[in-house]
Amino acid sequence: MCAAQPSSQPSLRRYLEHSRGGPTVLRIVLGTQLRRMREAAGISREAAGDAIRGSHAKISRLELGRVGCKERDVADLLTLYGVTDEADRSDFLTLAKRTSTPGWWHQYGDVLPNWFETHLGLEEAASVIRTYEVQFVPGLLQTEGYARAVTTLGHPQATAQEIERRVALRVQRQKLLTAPDAPRLWAVMDEASLRRPLGGPEVMADQLRHLRSMAELPNITLQVAPFSLGGLAAAGGPITILRFLEPDLPDIVYLEQLTSALYLDKRDDVDHYLAVMDRLSAQSSSPRDSLALMDRLIRQED
């Protein structure tokens, strides 16, 4: 059996020195590297699972970045895959340790579902975020007042304190749009999301003005899918596609549901949703015309 060698050691060090997205991204990067080494060594998931006193399902979860990695398990897998260089092993073990380091969102664990934590980490690491929203303004662009109205609607049994915690989480999340190396956000919103007066006329007018202001940022593009279109390419719910500069992170489609979410990274699925987003963007009003519509709606609210 040939010894497997780490496939991109300089890349691994870059994640250690300048990682974005916290433990979520580091888990995916580490899992991808371990999968490549296992396959290069010709070792099955079952054999790898035996080496760490686990099952092939555990190896699968580890390689997909779904779980944190124990340093002992990673050390045993590196030995199995023929990685003996101490510097290489040290980098992998450091990365494994950091996969268990809480992200900034850990402080909101009382109101944050597990399935959404993954999205927050991927969102922070993304270079491009493309999103289509049907009912609401995208969360990254909501004002506090609008976010409070949306959160109250979605969690009618929540206490006032829980509502404020959820709103604070959303506001904290939005800071990435104005941070250094901020991602590009390209959002398409159904016209209904701009006309539905959540929170009342004053809250909605403030939200529209905020959208108008955010659209002035060079990394933000806003489009409106007008009622006049009739049918849309994306019949159904909201769609978010996250794209990354890092070679170890594939494009990911995020589909949020009421109590869970789907994360799709298979090439065929991603290509399908990219085609849908491209058609949506082509069908929707231009950014200039979309801003003109917002201006008209602001005047109506005022």
Side-chain angles (χ1 to χ4, degrees), residues 100-136:
S100 300
T101 303
W104 63 261
W105 48 86
H106 181 72
Q107 62 185 304
Y108 296 100
D110 56 322
V111 294
L112 182 62
N114 291 336
W115 52 265
F116 194 62
E117 289 186 36
T118 300
H119 180 65
L120 292 178
L122 294 172
E123 193 175 67
E124 284 219 332
S127 60
V128 179
I129 302 170
R130 297 184 67 180
T131 187
Y132 167 65
E133 281 288 348
V134 186
Q135 296 191 66
F136 306 117

mmCIF file of all heavy atoms in Angstrom, residues 100-136:
data_model
loop_
_atom_site.group_PDB
_atom_site.id
_atom_site.type_symbol
_atom_site.label_atom_id
_atom_site.label_comp_id
_atom_site.label_asym_id
_atom_site.label_seq_id
_atom_site.Cartn_x
_atom_site.Cartn_y
_atom_site.Cartn_z
ATOM 1 N N SER A 100 -13.393 22.305 17.332
ATOM 2 C CA SER A 100 -14.260 22.284 18.520
ATOM 3 C C SER A 100 -14.343 23.645 19.208
ATOM 4 O O SER A 100 -15.015 23.787 20.224
ATOM 5 C CB SER A 100 -13.748 21.236 19.521
ATOM 6 O OG SER A 100 -13.753 19.953 18.943
ATOM 7 N N THR A 101 -13.658 24.651 18.636
ATOM 8 C CA THR A 101 -13.711 25.995 19.210
ATOM 9 C C THR A 101 -15.038 26.652 18.845
ATOM 10 O O THR A 101 -15.394 26.711 17.668
ATOM 11 C CB THR A 101 -12.557 26.864 18.685
ATOM 12 O OG1 THR A 101 -11.320 26.224 18.993
ATOM 13 C CG2 THR A 101 -12.597 28.247 19.307
ATOM 14 N N PRO A 102 -15.803 27.158 19.808
ATOM 15 C CA PRO A 102 -17.110 27.745 19.497
ATOM 16 C C PRO A 102 -16.984 28.967 18.595
ATOM 17 O O PRO A 102 -16.054 29.770 18.724
ATOM 18 C CB PRO A 102 -17.663 28.132 20.879
ATOM 19 C CG PRO A 102 -16.875 27.319 21.855
ATOM 20 C CD PRO A 102 -15.514 27.169 21.257
ATOM 21 N N GLY A 103 -17.924 29.143 17.658
ATOM 22 C CA GLY A 103 -18.002 30.353 16.862
ATOM 23 C C GLY A 103 -18.628 31.473 17.667
ATOM 24 O O GLY A 103 -19.143 31.251 18.772
ATOM 25 N N TRP A 104 -18.638 32.691 17.112
ATOM 26 C CA TRP A 104 -19.187 33.833 17.851
ATOM 27 C C TRP A 104 -20.662 33.612 18.193
ATOM 28 O O TRP A 104 -21.177 34.144 19.174
ATOM 29 C CB TRP A 104 -19.021 35.127 17.061
ATOM 30 C CG TRP A 104 -19.754 35.165 15.739
ATOM 31 C CD1 TRP A 104 -19.241 34.942 14.502
ATOM 32 C CD2 TRP A 104 -21.153 35.462 15.542
ATOM 33 N NE1 TRP A 104 -20.220 35.060 13.535
ATOM 34 C CE2 TRP A 104 -21.405 35.385 14.144
ATOM 35 C CE3 TRP A 104 -22.209 35.773 16.385
ATOM 36 C CZ2 TRP A 104 -22.658 35.613 13.582
ATOM 37 C CZ3 TRP A 104 -23.477 36.000 15.837
ATOM 38 C CH2 TRP A 104 -23.683 35.925 14.447
ATOM 39 N N TRP A 105 -21.336 32.803 17.356
ATOM 40 C CA TRP A 105 -22.769 32.575 17.553
ATOM 41 C C TRP A 105 -23.064 31.655 18.733
ATOM 42 O O TRP A 105 -24.223 31.488 19.108
ATOM 43 C CB TRP A 105 -23.363 31.977 16.281
ATOM 44 C CG TRP A 105 -22.587 30.829 15.724
ATOM 45 C CD1 TRP A 105 -22.679 29.519 16.060
ATOM 46 C CD2 TRP A 105 -21.551 30.901 14.733
ATOM 47 N NE1 TRP A 105 -21.796 28.761 15.351
ATOM 48 C CE2 TRP A 105 -21.086 29.586 14.521
ATOM 49 C CE3 TRP A 105 -20.974 31.937 14.000
ATOM 50 C CZ2 TRP A 105 -20.073 29.288 13.606
ATOM 51 C CZ3 TRP A 105 -19.967 31.640 13.098
ATOM 52 C CH2 TRP A 105 -19.521 30.339 12.899
ATOM 53 N N HIS A 106 -22.015 31.071 19.320
ATOM 54 C CA HIS A 106 -22.225 30.174 20.460
ATOM 55 C C HIS A 106 -22.934 30.893 21.602
ATOM 56 O O HIS A 106 -23.703 30.265 22.353
ATOM 57 C CB HIS A 106 -20.876 29.621 20.927
ATOM 58 C CG HIS A 106 -20.966 28.678 22.086
ATOM 59 N ND1 HIS A 106 -21.470 27.394 21.968
ATOM 60 C CD2 HIS A 106 -20.637 28.829 23.410
ATOM 61 C CE1 HIS A 106 -21.443 26.799 23.150
ATOM 62 N NE2 HIS A 106 -20.949 27.643 24.034
ATOM 63 N N GLN A 107 -22.708 32.196 21.729
ATOM 64 C CA GLN A 107 -23.336 32.961 22.810
ATOM 65 C C GLN A 107 -24.855 33.046 22.651
ATOM 66 O O GLN A 107 -25.559 33.408 23.594
ATOM 67 C CB GLN A 107 -22.741 34.374 22.854
ATOM 68 C CG GLN A 107 -22.978 35.182 21.582
ATOM 69 C CD GLN A 107 -22.292 36.520 21.602
ATOM 70 O OE1 GLN A 107 -22.498 37.322 22.517
ATOM 71 N NE2 GLN A 107 -21.457 36.778 20.595
ATOM 72 N N TYR A 108 -25.347 32.717 21.449
ATOM 73 C CA TYR A 108 -26.793 32.742 21.212
ATOM 74 C C TYR A 108 -27.372 31.325 21.165
ATOM 75 O O TYR A 108 -28.442 31.105 20.604
ATOM 76 C CB TYR A 108 -27.099 33.459 19.894
ATOM 77 C CG TYR A 108 -26.707 34.913 19.897
ATOM 78 C CD1 TYR A 108 -25.515 35.338 19.299
ATOM 79 C CD2 TYR A 108 -27.511 35.875 20.504
ATOM 80 C CE1 TYR A 108 -25.143 36.674 19.308
ATOM 81 C CE2 TYR A 108 -27.158 37.213 20.516
ATOM 82 C CZ TYR A 108 -25.962 37.602 19.923
ATOM 83 O OH TYR A 108 -25.600 38.932 19.937
ATOM 84 N N GLY A 109 -26.665 30.376 21.762
ATOM 85 C CA GLY A 109 -27.082 28.986 21.705
ATOM 86 C C GLY A 109 -28.477 28.739 22.248
ATOM 87 O O GLY A 109 -29.138 27.769 21.852
ATOM 88 N N ASP A 110 -28.961 29.607 23.136
ATOM 89 C CA ASP A 110 -30.280 29.413 23.724
ATOM 90 C C ASP A 110 -31.405 29.633 22.719
ATOM 91 O O ASP A 110 -32.524 29.150 22.907
ATOM 92 C CB ASP A 110 -30.469 30.330 24.935
ATOM 93 C CG ASP A 110 -30.244 31.802 24.598
ATOM 94 O OD1 ASP A 110 -29.332 32.097 23.796
ATOM 95 O OD2 ASP A 110 -30.965 32.666 25.137
ATOM 96 N N VAL A 111 -31.139 30.376 21.640
ATOM 97 C CA VAL A 111 -32.183 30.652 20.647
ATOM 98 C C VAL A 111 -31.766 30.216 19.238
ATOM 99 O O VAL A 111 -32.465 30.501 18.268
ATOM 100 C CB VAL A 111 -32.544 32.155 20.628
ATOM 101 C CG1 VAL A 111 -33.184 32.572 21.940
ATOM 102 C CG2 VAL A 111 -31.327 33.019 20.318
ATOM 103 N N LEU A 112 -30.637 29.540 19.129
ATOM 104 C CA LEU A 112 -30.087 29.189 17.815
ATOM 105 C C LEU A 112 -30.224 27.694 17.553
ATOM 106 O O LEU A 112 -29.598 26.885 18.228
ATOM 107 C CB LEU A 112 -28.610 29.592 17.759
ATOM 108 C CG LEU A 112 -27.859 29.341 16.449
ATOM 109 C CD1 LEU A 112 -28.485 30.133 15.314
ATOM 110 C CD2 LEU A 112 -26.386 29.719 16.611
ATOM 111 N N PRO A 113 -31.022 27.300 16.560
ATOM 112 C CA PRO A 113 -31.131 25.869 16.249
ATOM 113 C C PRO A 113 -29.836 25.339 15.634
ATOM 114 O O PRO A 113 -29.127 26.065 14.943
ATOM 115 C CB PRO A 113 -32.286 25.821 15.233
ATOM 116 C CG PRO A 113 -32.346 27.189 14.641
ATOM 117 C CD PRO A 113 -31.903 28.134 15.721
ATOM 118 N N ASN A 114 -29.552 24.066 15.888
ATOM 119 C CA ASN A 114 -28.302 23.477 15.409
ATOM 120 C C ASN A 114 -28.161 23.565 13.895
ATOM 121 O O ASN A 114 -27.073 23.808 13.374
ATOM 122 C CB ASN A 114 -28.222 22.005 15.848
ATOM 123 C CG ASN A 114 -28.047 21.860 17.352
ATOM 124 O OD1 ASN A 114 -27.552 22.764 18.010
ATOM 125 N ND2 ASN A 114 -28.468 20.733 17.896
ATOM 126 N N TRP A 115 -29.275 23.393 13.185
ATOM 127 C CA TRP A 115 -29.199 23.375 11.721
ATOM 128 C C TRP A 115 -28.840 24.742 11.150
ATOM 129 O O TRP A 115 -28.368 24.843 10.014
ATOM 130 C CB TRP A 115 -30.502 22.858 11.111
ATOM 131 C CG TRP A 115 -31.748 23.550 11.587
ATOM 132 C CD1 TRP A 115 -32.568 23.157 12.600
ATOM 133 C CD2 TRP A 115 -32.327 24.759 11.062
ATOM 134 N NE1 TRP A 115 -33.621 24.038 12.750
ATOM 135 C CE2 TRP A 115 -33.500 25.025 11.820
ATOM 136 C CE3 TRP A 115 -31.980 25.631 10.032
ATOM 137 C CZ2 TRP A 115 -34.317 26.130 11.566
ATOM 138 C CZ3 TRP A 115 -32.795 26.735 9.776
ATOM 139 C CH2 TRP A 115 -33.949 26.974 10.540
ATOM 140 N N PHE A 116 -29.051 25.806 11.920
ATOM 141 C CA PHE A 116 -28.732 27.145 11.415
ATOM 142 C C PHE A 116 -27.283 27.536 11.719
ATOM 143 O O PHE A 116 -26.726 28.412 11.071
ATOM 144 C CB PHE A 116 -29.691 28.173 12.010
ATOM 145 C CG PHE A 116 -29.661 29.502 11.302
ATOM 146 C CD1 PHE A 116 -30.024 29.595 9.966
ATOM 147 C CD2 PHE A 116 -29.261 30.662 11.962
ATOM 148 C CE1 PHE A 116 -29.989 30.819 9.297
ATOM 149 C CE2 PHE A 116 -29.229 31.877 11.309
ATOM 150 C CZ PHE A 116 -29.594 31.958 9.974
ATOM 151 N N GLU A 117 -26.670 26.892 12.703
ATOM 152 C CA GLU A 117 -25.274 27.183 13.018
ATOM 153 C C GLU A 117 -24.381 26.947 11.806
ATOM 154 O O GLU A 117 -23.462 27.727 11.529
ATOM 155 C CB GLU A 117 -24.798 26.306 14.179
ATOM 156 C CG GLU A 117 -25.391 26.675 15.528
ATOM 157 C CD GLU A 117 -24.756 25.865 16.652
ATOM 158 O OE1 GLU A 117 -23.543 25.600 16.572
ATOM 159 O OE2 GLU A 117 -25.474 25.490 17.592
ATOM 160 N N THR A 118 -24.638 25.875 11.080
ATOM 161 C CA THR A 118 -23.851 25.579 9.888
ATOM 162 C C THR A 118 -23.950 26.716 8.880
ATOM 163 O O THR A 118 -22.947 27.126 8.278
ATOM 164 C CB THR A 118 -24.331 24.268 9.242
ATOM 165 O OG1 THR A 118 -24.180 23.197 10.174
ATOM 166 C CG2 THR A 118 -23.541 23.955 7.981
ATOM 167 N N HIS A 119 -25.150 27.244 8.709
ATOM 168 C CA HIS A 119 -25.338 28.336 7.754
ATOM 169 C C HIS A 119 -24.540 29.574 8.153
ATOM 170 O O HIS A 119 -23.941 30.241 7.298
ATOM 171 C CB HIS A 119 -26.817 28.686 7.633
ATOM 172 C CG HIS A 119 -27.087 29.801 6.674
ATOM 173 N ND1 HIS A 119 -26.850 29.685 5.320
ATOM 174 C CD2 HIS A 119 -27.548 31.069 6.862
ATOM 175 C CE1 HIS A 119 -27.170 30.820 4.720
ATOM 176 N NE2 HIS A 119 -27.591 31.672 5.641
ATOM 177 N N LEU A 120 -24.528 29.891 9.429
ATOM 178 C CA LEU A 120 -23.791 31.071 9.889
ATOM 179 C C LEU A 120 -22.305 30.941 9.578
ATOM 180 O O LEU A 120 -21.662 31.901 9.138
ATOM 181 C CB LEU A 120 -24.004 31.269 11.391
ATOM 182 C CG LEU A 120 -25.420 31.665 11.830
ATOM 183 C CD1 LEU A 120 -25.491 31.781 13.344
ATOM 184 C CD2 LEU A 120 -25.844 32.982 11.187
ATOM 185 N N GLY A 121 -21.746 29.755 9.825
ATOM 186 C CA GLY A 121 -20.330 29.543 9.530
ATOM 187 C C GLY A 121 -20.033 29.632 8.052
ATOM 188 O O GLY A 121 -19.050 30.253 7.637
ATOM 189 N N LEU A 122 -20.880 29.029 7.218
ATOM 190 C CA LEU A 122 -20.679 29.077 5.770
ATOM 191 C C LEU A 122 -20.854 30.503 5.242
ATOM 192 O O LEU A 122 -20.118 30.947 4.359
ATOM 193 C CB LEU A 122 -21.669 28.139 5.078
ATOM 194 C CG LEU A 122 -21.469 26.651 5.354
ATOM 195 C CD1 LEU A 122 -22.627 25.844 4.759
ATOM 196 C CD2 LEU A 122 -20.141 26.171 4.788
ATOM 197 N N GLU A 123 -21.824 31.213 5.781
ATOM 198 C CA GLU A 123 -22.088 32.586 5.368
ATOM 199 C C GLU A 123 -20.865 33.476 5.608
ATOM 200 O O GLU A 123 -20.503 34.307 4.767
ATOM 201 C CB GLU A 123 -23.296 33.103 6.154
ATOM 202 C CG GLU A 123 -23.912 34.385 5.660
ATOM 203 C CD GLU A 123 -25.166 34.704 6.452
ATOM 204 O OE1 GLU A 123 -25.074 35.001 7.659
ATOM 205 O OE2 GLU A 123 -26.259 34.648 5.864
ATOM 206 N N GLU A 124 -20.227 33.299 6.760
ATOM 207 C CA GLU A 124 -19.051 34.098 7.086
ATOM 208 C C GLU A 124 -17.871 33.790 6.177
ATOM 209 O O GLU A 124 -17.021 34.642 5.939
ATOM 210 C CB GLU A 124 -18.652 33.869 8.544
ATOM 211 C CG GLU A 124 -19.525 34.560 9.541
ATOM 212 C CD GLU A 124 -18.724 35.117 10.699
ATOM 213 O OE1 GLU A 124 -17.660 34.563 11.002
ATOM 214 O OE2 GLU A 124 -19.175 36.114 11.285
ATOM 215 N N ALA A 125 -17.799 32.560 5.677
ATOM 216 C CA ALA A 125 -16.673 32.154 4.842
ATOM 217 C C ALA A 125 -16.904 32.432 3.366
ATOM 218 O O ALA A 125 -15.970 32.368 2.569
ATOM 219 C CB ALA A 125 -16.389 30.667 5.038
ATOM 220 N N ALA A 126 -18.138 32.748 2.984
ATOM 221 C CA ALA A 126 -18.488 32.884 1.573
ATOM 222 C C ALA A 126 -17.857 34.125 0.950
ATOM 223 O O ALA A 126 -17.687 35.158 1.602
ATOM 224 C CB ALA A 126 -20.002 32.933 1.413
ATOM 225 N N SER A 127 -17.531 34.017 -0.328
ATOM 226 C CA SER A 127 -17.076 35.178 -1.094
ATOM 227 C C SER A 127 -18.236 35.800 -1.859
ATOM 228 O O SER A 127 -18.242 37.000 -2.132
ATOM 229 C CB SER A 127 -15.963 34.786 -2.064
ATOM 230 O OG SER A 127 -16.418 33.808 -2.987
ATOM 231 N N VAL A 128 -19.239 34.985 -2.215
ATOM 232 C CA VAL A 128 -20.441 35.459 -2.897
ATOM 233 C C VAL A 128 -21.648 34.784 -2.266
ATOM 234 O O VAL A 128 -21.657 33.568 -2.055
ATOM 235 C CB VAL A 128 -20.407 35.145 -4.410
ATOM 236 C CG1 VAL A 128 -21.697 35.626 -5.077
ATOM 237 C CG2 VAL A 128 -19.198 35.787 -5.071
ATOM 238 N N ILE A 129 -22.673 35.577 -1.962
ATOM 239 C CA ILE A 129 -23.938 35.063 -1.449
ATOM 240 C C ILE A 129 -25.034 35.515 -2.404
ATOM 241 O O ILE A 129 -25.262 36.718 -2.576
ATOM 242 C CB ILE A 129 -24.245 35.584 -0.032
ATOM 243 C CG1 ILE A 129 -23.130 35.212 0.943
ATOM 244 C CG2 ILE A 129 -25.587 35.049 0.466
ATOM 245 C CD1 ILE A 129 -23.250 35.890 2.299
ATOM 246 N N ARG A 130 -25.687 34.559 -3.037
ATOM 247 C CA ARG A 130 -26.819 34.879 -3.909
ATOM 248 C C ARG A 130 -28.082 34.359 -3.241
ATOM 249 O O ARG A 130 -28.125 33.211 -2.784
ATOM 250 C CB ARG A 130 -26.649 34.239 -5.289
ATOM 251 C CG ARG A 130 -25.450 34.756 -6.050
ATOM 252 C CD ARG A 130 -25.382 34.166 -7.453
ATOM 253 N NE ARG A 130 -26.481 34.642 -8.287
ATOM 254 C CZ ARG A 130 -26.653 34.284 -9.563
ATOM 255 N NH1 ARG A 130 -25.810 33.423 -10.126
ATOM 256 N NH2 ARG A 130 -27.669 34.761 -10.263
ATOM 257 N N THR A 131 -29.099 35.185 -3.170
ATOM 258 C CA THR A 131 -30.295 34.772 -2.443
ATOM 259 C C THR A 131 -31.548 35.277 -3.131
ATOM 260 O O THR A 131 -31.560 36.350 -3.743
ATOM 261 C CB THR A 131 -30.238 35.262 -0.978
ATOM 262 O OG1 THR A 131 -31.332 34.724 -0.241
ATOM 263 C CG2 THR A 131 -30.286 36.780 -0.906
ATOM 264 N N TYR A 132 -32.591 34.481 -3.040
ATOM 265 C CA TYR A 132 -33.917 34.863 -3.538
ATOM 266 C C TYR A 132 -34.903 34.711 -2.396
ATOM 267 O O TYR A 132 -34.945 33.673 -1.732
ATOM 268 C CB TYR A 132 -34.335 33.977 -4.714
ATOM 269 C CG TYR A 132 -35.797 34.108 -5.078
ATOM 270 C CD1 TYR A 132 -36.305 35.308 -5.575
ATOM 271 C CD2 TYR A 132 -36.673 33.036 -4.912
ATOM 272 C CE1 TYR A 132 -37.649 35.426 -5.904
ATOM 273 C CE2 TYR A 132 -38.018 33.148 -5.237
ATOM 274 C CZ TYR A 132 -38.499 34.348 -5.733
ATOM 275 O OH TYR A 132 -39.833 34.473 -6.042
ATOM 276 N N GLU A 133 -35.674 35.760 -2.143
ATOM 277 C CA GLU A 133 -36.643 35.744 -1.048
ATOM 278 C C GLU A 133 -38.037 36.031 -1.588
ATOM 279 O O GLU A 133 -38.222 36.898 -2.443
ATOM 280 C CB GLU A 133 -36.284 36.782 0.014
ATOM 281 C CG GLU A 133 -35.170 36.337 0.956
ATOM 282 C CD GLU A 133 -35.624 35.266 1.935
ATOM 283 O OE1 GLU A 133 -36.848 35.027 2.034
ATOM 284 O OE2 GLU A 133 -34.766 34.668 2.600
ATOM 285 N N VAL A 134 -39.002 35.290 -1.062
ATOM 286 C CA VAL A 134 -40.372 35.408 -1.535
ATOM 287 C C VAL A 134 -41.215 36.297 -0.618
ATOM 288 O O VAL A 134 -41.839 37.256 -1.065
ATOM 289 C CB VAL A 134 -41.032 34.012 -1.631
ATOM 290 C CG1 VAL A 134 -42.420 34.116 -2.258
ATOM 291 C CG2 VAL A 134 -40.158 33.059 -2.429
ATOM 292 N N GLN A 135 -41.214 35.992 0.672
ATOM 293 C CA GLN A 135 -42.119 36.674 1.599
ATOM 294 C C GLN A 135 -41.479 37.824 2.358
ATOM 295 O O GLN A 135 -42.157 38.796 2.689
ATOM 296 C CB GLN A 135 -42.659 35.678 2.626
ATOM 297 C CG GLN A 135 -43.508 34.569 2.053
ATOM 298 C CD GLN A 135 -44.201 33.799 3.167
ATOM 299 O OE1 GLN A 135 -45.051 34.334 3.872
ATOM 300 N NE2 GLN A 135 -43.822 32.546 3.338
ATOM 301 N N PHE A 136 -40.177 37.698 2.661
ATOM 302 C CA PHE A 136 -39.540 38.660 3.545
ATOM 303 C C PHE A 136 -38.297 39.269 2.908
ATOM 304 O O PHE A 136 -37.711 38.708 1.984
ATOM 305 C CB PHE A 136 -39.124 37.984 4.861
ATOM 306 C CG PHE A 136 -40.237 37.254 5.554
ATOM 307 C CD1 PHE A 136 -40.175 35.884 5.751
ATOM 308 C CD2 PHE A 136 -41.352 37.941 6.010
ATOM 309 C CE1 PHE A 136 -41.201 35.201 6.383
ATOM 310 C CE2 PHE A 136 -42.390 37.273 6.648
ATOM 311 C CZ PHE A 136 -42.320 35.893 6.835
#
